[in-house]
Amino acid sequence: MPRKFSKYFKTLNFLMSLMIVNVSLFICLNINELSFYNEQLVYLVSSVNIVWVITYLAFQGYKIHRTSRVFEVIKSQWKITLFHFFVYSSFTLLGPLDIGNEIIVSFYLILAIITGAWHFLFTLLIRSYRTYGLNFRKVIIIGDEKNGRKLRHFFQSSPGYGFRFVKLFGTGSESTQELKEVEQYVIQQHIDEIYCCLPQVSSEDLKRLVDFGEINFVKVRVLGDYSLEVSSDQSRLSWYGDIPVLKLTSTPLDEWHNRLIKRTFDLIFSSVIIVFLLSWVYPLIYILIKLDSKGKVLFRQKRNGKNNKEFYCYKFRTMKVNNDSEISQTAPDDSRITKIGCFLRQTSLDELPQFINVFKGNMSIVGPRPHPVTLNSYYSPKIEKFMLRHVVKPGITGLAQIKGFRGPMETTELMRSRVILDKFYLKNWSVFFDCKIVLKTIFLTKKDLLEHIFSATQLVSKSNSLQVYEQAE
């Protein structure tokens, strides 16, 4: 039964908003019997749409929270329409079109009416959709007190919000043992959200649950006292009926528009690399690998990706075919590495096929490096919040890599340092941060490539000189 979260609703809402803008503009032009030259019409439509997209994304108009009331949704959309009115009205003063004030007012009145009608209908359709048991979230409540019981009643009496209440846990003297049972239950029953009632859940227990939630991709919400050490700038207060609930968010990439920006960047960048670089480098490396050793050119290995889901990561094969690649890390002087493989590793050219992973959506250009499944299983119990790095797609490069933590991590301390940098990246993500990491990676790769080409040239030169000397003797 489908229970995925509302990413498709957000996309649909965004596309519908664009359609409503253009329909409103079309109705306005026809009612007022206005006609423009082709160039003027293109300018009018494109400028209205561009300003709308910027305004809509800036105000995050695509967001419709599960617990939002219908009028709250319509009110937030009208705010966006009003802001667009002020921005575009100012914009038309500088533009080539002379549009009368009555035309602008009529356009925005039509836009406000259609926007209100659509969001009223859309909210009711989503509520109906969820009432039939679709697009739901499985939730548990910890703390059997007034707010907990009220919240349980809210979940059970309001199926249109899309919450499926599963169980209410009380708290007693054996707090640690009970938390272990809760954590096991959450994993076994695939719970999506945990609601903690304060003060029955202590601050220490809440911190443990927040850490558990981050590692296992479960959202933790708080009812009661909000003056907590665990709350942050990214916390947001929501109302479930008349019940206040604190939502503890963690990373900028939790936001839909940030993920859209990052995915767009990934698609453009990977497409350019595949078309203009990999298309001619692949045949050259193919020939070199085939001449050097037997086996397939591409090496596929299972890695852990976003939300810890497994995927096949692609690389150029740099080792002789063996059965230990899944269970042992590669050492710098590993006898399994081929001659061409050594060069590919030192110059990072073996990573080029991962741009195919990026294009497919398994990976991102920038993010925490994906580890083999066995390596994740080994380190996750040893390093605190190790699995937090899997809340986003893994990357071809990352902050840890440009800081020197590349290749196999031989000790737990080195791996811990890599994870610390990965977590810093997650908390501080921005488009400019990604661009900075990419530029530094290109500089480092170019430097490594030139150094190894120079070393190889010197080796050939010395070899030729030796041959000349031997012939002279």
Side-chain angles (χ1 to χ4, degrees):
M1 185 175 290
R3 41 187 298 254
K4 285 289 182 184
F5 298 173
S6 308
K7 60 181 180 180
Y8 300 117
F9 292 152
K10 292 173 183 176
T11 305
L12 175 62
N13 202 21
F14 174 69
L15 294 176
M16 279 299 300
S17 75
L18 270 179
M19 191 177 83
I20 289 168
V21 167
N22 288 284
V23 167
S24 301
L25 188 60
F26 176 79
I27 293 172
C28 176
L29 294 177
N30 279 274
I31 288 176
N32 292 281
E33 297 181 349
L34 292 175
S35 60
F36 295 101
Y37 295 113
N38 288 338
E39 294 82 1
Q40 293 177 318
L41 188 60
V42 169
Y43 175 83
L44 176 64
V45 173
S46 59
S47 60
V48 166
N49 279 273
I50 289 169
V51 175
W52 178 262
V53 169
I54 294 170
T55 308
Y56 200 77
L57 292 178
F59 279 85
Q60 299 181 9
Y62 49 82
K63 277 190 172 183
I64 298 181
H65 299 293
R66 287 177 178 262
T67 53
S68 297
R69 297 180 176 91
V70 176
F71 182 70
E72 288 175 350
V73 174
I74 296 172
K75 187 178 174 183
S76 68
Q77 296 298 319
W78 280 347
K79 283 181 181 178
I80 296 171
T81 305
L82 185 62
F83 187 81
H84 189 275
F85 166 73
F86 287 123
V87 172
Y88 195 75
S89 297
S90 305
F91 184 73
T92 53
L93 295 175
L94 305 173
L97 291 182
D98 183 19
I99 304 175
N101 292 336
E102 67 281 358
I103 307 300
I104 292 176
V105 171
S106 65
F107 164 62
Y108 283 102
L109 281 175
I110 294 167
L111 179 59
I113 292 168
I114 299 178
T115 295
W118 158 248
H119 282 90
F120 177 79
L121 178 63
F122 186 53
T123 306
L124 293 182
L125 286 173
I126 292 175
R127 296 272 171 86
S128 176
Y129 180 75
R130 288 170 176 159
T131 300
Y132 283 103
L134 302 167
N135 186 238
F136 63 89
R137 295 181 182 179
K138 293 175 73 173
V139 302
I140 62 169
I141 301 172
I142 304 176
D144 186 9
E145 57 98 46
K146 184 180 178 182
N147 275 339
R149 290 192 297 273
K150 283 179 69 177
L151 186 61
R152 177 179 61 180
H153 176 72
F154 172 80
F155 289 147
Q156 292 174 336
S157 62
S158 309
Y161 289 108
F163 294 100
R164 180 168 294 181
F165 173 74
V166 181
K167 192 170 182 179
L168 176 65
F169 287 87
T171 54
S173 56
E174 302 295 330
S175 178
T176 304
Q177 182 60 34
E178 286 182 359
L179 279 184
K180 286 181 180 177
E181 292 175 6
V182 169
E183 290 167 359
Q184 289 174 0
Y185 186 85
V186 167
I187 293 170
Q188 290 169 0
Q189 298 297 322
H190 305 290
I191 300 299
D192 299 307
E193 296 181 0
I194 302 171
Y195 289 81
C196 301
C197 300
L198 302 180
Q200 285 189 299
V201 178
S202 67
S203 180
E204 185 179 337
D205 288 346
L206 182 58
K207 285 182 181 179
R208 173 174 167 170
L209 283 168
V210 169
D211 291 344
F212 168 79
E214 288 180 337
I215 292 169
N216 293 280
F217 317 107
V218 178
K219 302 292 184 185
V220 177
R221 316 298 194 197
V222 178
L223 292 82
D225 181 13
Y226 303 121
S227 56
L228 302 168
E229 295 176 21
V230 292
S231 57
S232 67
D233 322 351
Q234 297 171 330
S235 300
R236 181 171 57 82
L237 188 65
S238 297
W239 291 86
Y240 289 42
D242 60 346
I243 309 163
V245 175
L246 190 66
K247 296 186 175 181
L248 306 176
T249 57
S250 52
T251 70
L253 288 169
D254 285 340
E255 299 294 339
W256 175 84
H257 67 285
N258 286 337
R259 293 198 302 274
L260 176 64
I261 293 168
K262 188 169 177 63
R263 180 60 182 150
T264 304
F265 175 78
D266 287 343
L267 280 172
I268 294 171
F269 198 99
S270 61
S271 299
V272 169
I273 295 296
I274 290 169
V275 172
F276 295 103
L277 183 62
L278 196 59
S279 59
W280 61 269
V281 170
Y282 189 101
L284 293 177
I285 295 178
Y286 179 94
I287 294 168
L288 292 172
I289 291 174
K290 282 294 185 181
L291 289 173
D292 192 37
S293 62
K294 294 179 180 179
K296 295 180 178 180
V297 171
L298 280 185
F299 171 69
R300 296 194 320 160
Q301 187 181 50
K302 277 189 178 181
R303 303 271 175 117
N304 292 103
K306 185 179 178 182
N307 295 333
N308 209 31
K309 291 180 180 177
E310 294 180 3
F311 72 99
Y312 280 105
C313 181
Y314 303 128
K315 295 178 74 173
F316 284 123
R317 182 173 58 82
T318 58
M319 295 192 294
K320 298 170 186 176
V321 177
N322 64 91
N323 297 321
D324 299 327
S325 58
E326 296 290 338
I327 57 175
S328 62
Q329 290 196 74
T330 311
D333 56 349
D334 202 311
S335 60
R336 297 173 296 171
I337 300 176
T338 62
K339 291 177 182 178
I340 186 63
C342 182
F343 174 75
L344 293 175
R345 281 175 174 270
Q346 289 172 339
T347 56
S348 299
L349 290 172
D350 62 321
E351 311 282 356
L352 278 177
Q354 287 171 27
F355 285 99
I356 300 171
N357 284 116
V358 174
F359 189 81
K360 290 171 64 177
N362 303 131
M363 293 178 64
S364 181
I365 299 295
V366 182
R369 283 294 295 160
H371 295 151
V373 175
T374 51
L375 201 64
N376 264 21
S377 302
Y378 176 77
Y379 281 114
S380 56
K382 294 177 179 291
I383 299 175
E384 184 183 8
K385 295 189 179 181
F386 179 86
M387 298 305 289
L388 181 60
R389 63 199 303 277
H390 290 285
V391 300
V392 297
K393 291 178 185 178
I396 293 178
T397 185
L399 180 62
Q401 281 61 50
I402 65 170
K403 293 296 183 182
F405 294 92
R406 296 189 289 175
M409 298 290 101
E410 297 171 357
T411 66
T412 303
E413 284 307 311
L414 285 173
M415 182 61 81
R416 184 176 283 111
S417 298
R418 174 186 276 187
V419 171
I420 288 170
L421 289 168
D422 287 338
K423 289 192 287 188
F424 180 86
Y425 168 76
L426 295 178
K427 299 284 186 182
N428 297 277
W429 176 87
S430 72
V431 179
F432 299 107
F433 199 10
D434 271 6
C435 292
K436 184 178 178 181
I437 291 171
V438 168
L439 289 173
K440 286 198 173 185
T441 302
I442 292 170
F443 174 77
L444 290 171
T445 304
K446 182 182 176 183
K447 184 180 175 183
D448 288 345
L449 185 60
L450 290 173
E451 283 178 357
H452 287 97
I453 289 174
F454 179 70
S455 300
T457 305
Q458 280 191 320
L459 190 63
V460 171
S461 177
K462 285 180 181 178
S463 176
N464 290 338
S465 299
L466 183 61
Q467 287 177 3
V468 171
Y469 175 77
E470 287 175 345
Q471 288 171 3
E473 287 291 303

